[in-house]
Amino acid sequence: MRYSHQREIIREIVFSTNSHPTADWIYGEIKKSLPNVSLGTVYRNLKQLADEGIIRNIQDGPVARYDWNIEPHDHLKCNVCGEMIDIQVPNEIIKDTVMEKYDFEVSDVEITLVGKCNKHT
Amino acid sequence: MRYSHQREIIREIVFSTNSHPTADWIYGEIKKSLPNVSLGTVYRNLKQLADEGIIRNIQDGPVARYDWNIEPHDHLKCNVCGEMIDIQVPNEIIKDTVMEKYDFEVSDVEITLVGKCNKHT
DNA sequence: ATAGTAATAATAATCATTACTAATTAAAAA
DNA sequence: TTTTTAATTAGTAATGATTATTATTACTAT
């Protein structure tokens, strides 16, 4: 992956916030310094950065968000303001524990384990 | 919610499979008996059935899937064939445990707790 | 300096989903 | 039973997020 100015700025933007930004938000930010960037460039570079393991892709319902924190961690998603809060889920996922520890009224826990099923050796 | 023939068939289709079907797949199925149904009708009714708690909505990346099983449970998602397999995550989420119990090579665990953060009383 | 190739801007295309509208229909009221 | 009503529908247009295309531009190794 050779150097590109656009990608470098995109990386810096992702690293500058804890807000788990979307491609669209990042597009708005980068246009402040590079008004001619294309939204496609933002998407392409976010994908490349995620593929390289430099940033992390997190799926928030139907939209993709990005996170500079590539350590394994989970999220609380507020269904009022939409904010995503980083958490470390302990060995026991206990709704009640999360509720008091993070002062968060859990209404739904979504757990998806992604990998390869036994049909593929 | 008054009776509708279309909604009843949509409900039956969801209840007839363990494949966590998408709106589009259900649309293909219902057209076999009602060739004139509209895709919008499928979406609207799936939403109503989910709102009523008759079926469950599960988000699979950017697409919505539906499940007749409304009991709290989780899923294994195969990133080769895309299949979603029902599981009961035990009190301890241990990748290793899931791996041997379900013979599934876990590469990523996605946990999202949805609810209301402390900014909203 | 230049050839080769990756990256870009601009734009069109795609895919899932929602919104709109006039016509139809289930169910309640007369 | 007929009339009234409001929910539901088919058809279609619109939206929002993302990916693909294409001609042009810009890194970088030689």
Side-chain angles (χ1 to χ4, degrees):
Chain A
M1 190 165 64
R2 79 178 198 202
Y3 175 84
S4 104
H5 185 45
Q6 287 85 336
R7 185 186 305 123
E8 182 53 23
I9 294 185
I10 288 166
R11 195 191 61 72
E12 281 169 14
I13 291 170
V14 175
F15 273 74
S16 73
T17 180
N18 285 320
S19 69
H20 308 86
T22 61
D24 200 60
W25 185 87
I26 294 165
Y27 179 55
E29 287 300 302
I30 193 174
K31 278 210 287 194
K32 292 177 183 170
S33 52
L34 296 177
N36 292 334
V37 277
S38 168
L39 183 55
T41 297
V42 174
Y43 273 103
R44 183 168 18 80
N45 282 299
L46 286 170
K47 189 180 220 286
Q48 281 178 113
L49 291 167
D51 286 348
E52 295 286 319
I54 296 163
I55 64 174
R56 178 178 165 176
N57 178 305
I58 61 184
Q59 199 68 29
D60 177 18
V63 318
R65 293 182 173 274
Y66 297 88
D67 195 347
W68 55 265
N69 185 357
I70 57 175
E71 296 301 307
H73 67 281
D74 306 293
H75 300 94
L76 296 176
K77 185 203 159 113
C78 178
N79 55 20
V80 177
C81 62
E83 188 178 346
M84 296 198 87
I85 302 149
D86 287 339
I87 58 165
Q88 292 289 344
V89 173
N91 267 2
E92 331 80 297
I93 5 145
I94 310 161
K95 240 171 110 161
D96 300 337
T97 305
V98 171
M99 287 174 89
E100 66 176 61
K101 185 166 182 185
Y102 297 94
D103 190 13
F104 191 94
E105 194 181 316
V106 177
S107 58
D108 193 23
V109 182
E110 292 170 12
I111 301 185
T112 309
L113 299 121
V114 182
K116 222 172 8 176
C117 77
N118 56 22
K119 290 204 286 293
H120 320 286
T121 57
Chain B
M1 192 166 59
R2 84 177 192 200
Y3 174 84
S4 106
H5 186 44
Q6 288 86 334
R7 184 186 305 125
E8 182 53 22
I9 294 184
I10 288 166
R11 195 192 59 73
E12 281 170 14
I13 290 171
V14 174
F15 273 75
S16 73
T17 180
N18 285 320
S19 69
H20 309 86
T22 61
D24 200 60
W25 184 87
I26 294 164
Y27 178 54
E29 288 299 303
I30 193 175
K31 278 209 290 194
K32 291 176 184 172
S33 53
L34 296 177
N36 292 334
V37 276
S38 167
L39 183 54
T41 297
V42 174
Y43 274 102
R44 181 168 20 79
N45 283 298
L46 286 170
K47 187 179 219 290
Q48 282 179 111
L49 290 167
D51 286 349
E52 294 286 320
I54 296 163
I55 64 174
R56 177 177 165 178
N57 178 307
I58 61 184
Q59 198 69 28
D60 177 18
V63 316
R65 291 182 174 275
Y66 297 88
D67 195 346
W68 55 264
N69 185 357
I70 56 175
E71 296 301 307
H73 68 282
D74 306 295
H75 300 94
L76 296 175
K77 184 203 158 111
C78 179
N79 55 21
V80 177
C81 64
E83 189 179 344
M84 297 197 87
I85 303 150
D86 287 339
I87 58 167
Q88 291 289 341
V89 173
N91 266 1
E92 331 82 293
I93 4 143
I94 312 161
K95 242 171 108 157
D96 300 338
T97 305
V98 172
M99 287 173 91
E100 64 175 65
K101 186 165 181 186
Y102 297 95
D103 191 13
F104 191 94
E105 194 181 315
V106 177
S107 58
D108 193 23
V109 182
E110 292 168 13
I111 301 184
T112 307
L113 298 121
V114 182
K116 218 167 23 170
C117 77
N118 55 24
K119 291 206 286 292
H120 320 285
T121 55

